[in-house]
Amino acid sequence: MVDSQYYLPNDIGISALDCAEAFRLLSPKEQLYSHYLSRSAWYGGLVVLLQTSPESASIYVLLQRLFRKQPPAQLENVATAAGLTPEEYQEKLKALVWQSQAFHDSPSEMEALWDSCSTLLFSLADRQKQLGLGDKGITSYFSGNCFLEDAELAQRFLDSKNLSAYNTRLFKKKSEGKTCYEVRLASAVENGETGTSLDGEGETRCGQYDFEDCVFTVSRGDYAPLMKKVSENLEKAKDHAANENQKRMLEEYARSFTYGSVEAHKEGSRFWIKDKGPIVESYIGFIESYRDPFGSRGEFEGFVAVVNKAMSERFAKLVSSAEVLLPDLPWPKEFEKDRFLLPDFTSLDVLTFAGSGIPAGINIPNYDDIRQSEGFKNVSLGNVLAVAYATQKDKLTFLDEDDKDAYIKWKGPSFEVQVGLHELLGHGSGKLFVQDEKGTFNFEQDNVLNPETGEKITTWYKGNETWDSKFSTISCSYEECRAECVGLYLCLNKQVLSIFGHEGEDAEELVYINWLNMVRAGLLGLEFYTPESHSWRQAHMQARFVILRVLLEAGEGLVTLKECTGKDGRPDALMTLDRSKIHTVGKAAIGRFLCKLQVIKSTADVEGGRALYEGYSAVSDSGSHNFLRLRETVLLRKEARKMFVQANTTVKGDSVDLVEYEGSAAGLIRSFTERFPDDAEEVEAHLLELAERDAPCWC
């Protein structure tokens, strides 16, 4: 029997993201702006295939060609006629491909596609069944011969050249007895290794460099044909921009994707921050580094969404209260930003979200220097929250029956509060102690004391060092843990609950479910731990497990976790939370831990951060809880995460039509096959060409 974490059940939940009313209320100009931004996001989203694994692009093209010829209902009829049962139709992909119209029309092409991806698609070899670096897994951010020490060396090189890793990949080879690395920038321009600046590029860093007895080459042109389409559609969107900030933002984004310049993307992000309260909100680029095993390279994502004015009013009240709430956080004022730059915080209905997944909320940009001194924005994705976190009682695991009805009622509202606090005051809080290239400090060395030791600060960020570059492999999950802790800590504040419309007993019920949901999520997170490599595959899930460990460690009966046997005779577990101790034992435990997290982050204490975070992240069969055995129980009873169906947009003359699809597997498939109506075959050819070019690098 194949481990359940490596396949999706046939009855997985699939929901449509409803944005029809929000889109209808847009003006024709705003609809065209949304359309071209969406086109740009969808083209760029294909880059994720090339950032994930060697076979991903071929799988995508195979499925596109299969379902473009025949929708699922027709394929099912063909499969039935060939003698396949309904279950086999869903499970036996090769048989389906061989019976399809696509195979009948182009047998050699479809067979070649199958051969290029099928072995890796079904492989459960240790290195091929999960993302990881070196022998811990597969990634296409790095060539297959790269290991952790290569990633660390490359980071030192990038820091020395003031180059960000966000839009890069790293390829290693031997040449004339020397170790050579290619740092490849994502760009439409393919001028290779020339050190000459191009018109419109600004200062170039392309060229060849000797560094620590190795040769580094910085070149352009990664994902070039896709980056070209991204930039072209951004230019079209600019014609329908609402103001000068949006125009300048799109110009800089296009320059970034044309030349591979993160500096241009940062400049675009500055204009994006200045674009306060737009009706149509968007962001695009190499953003989150969750899936880079080293934690520095950004996965491409792009979203387009429409403001939900009613919910946004609540978030605006939270923003206006931020300066009052921040002093409640459990670290000294010296560890908080000198000035909290009031950001936009809006609730949005997603029209388009291209990437490997859709979050519930976002706090961006991720550039530390901009966030610390110029600001950021927060968004909560309302129509995602509405469907992603709906729960059926019979599928609720690991909770006492007495908690289930309240959990179903309050999970949505509590998560709304948690997301707001997590994004605004979690990711938006805290100061980094920095000594810039001129030797100037942004804190008083002689006066600021470490509250954990009572001694002066001895470590800080220097020059071009950033949070991501210093803390690398733990940076993403550590920061998510810090933000989640802020949400738990501040949701105990009555002013916060009142902002969201919760008072009295309802407010207390919301707090209870928010904390209960967090400890349950910590247990469920074990699904994303891989015992063989002792590694976590998902940053947020690791963060929630760490919080569970902290609250279990607090003792005094705050959280209990017991293994038991379920009504079906199979292994089960039961979690309980003593609501009477949340404001005392719970708050104190989270406060102490949160202070440690912030002090370590502020002071760039990498050694201390790793010891603390990796200690709480450890999953073992010893101690008071056998988490390795509990992981097996979690896998036994897991419910697959929902999948989302997104609409498409098409231009008809001077207007834009919104094409919606049903929330089903057929609707999901159709939305993808109709996503590139004008150039699907061209795009697929580009994907296969790019994948084939780099194929030797993964061996």
Side-chain angles (χ1 to χ4, degrees), residues 335-392:
F335 288 76
E336 190 47 68
K337 292 175 182 174
D338 300 330
R339 184 166 64 98
F340 184 75
L341 301 165
L342 296 179
D344 256 11
F345 197 164
T346 48
S347 178
L348 307 174
D349 285 340
V350 171
L351 169 64
T352 296
F353 205 112
S356 64
I358 307 179
I362 316 169
N363 176 287
I364 37 183
N366 286 334
Y367 304 118
D368 288 337
D369 52 343
I370 294 178
R371 294 170 61 81
Q372 291 282 315
S373 60
E374 299 177 56
F376 53 90
K377 284 187 183 182
N378 299 275
V379 299
S380 173
L381 305 180
N383 57 344
V384 176
L385 280 168
V387 297
Y389 299 97
T391 307
Q392 296 178 334

Side-chain angles (χ1 to χ4, degrees), residues 404-417:
K404 289 185 177 180
D405 287 334
Y407 186 90
I408 290 169
K409 178 180 179 180
W410 289 103
K411 183 184 178 185
S414 70
F415 199 70
E416 183 178 85
V417 173

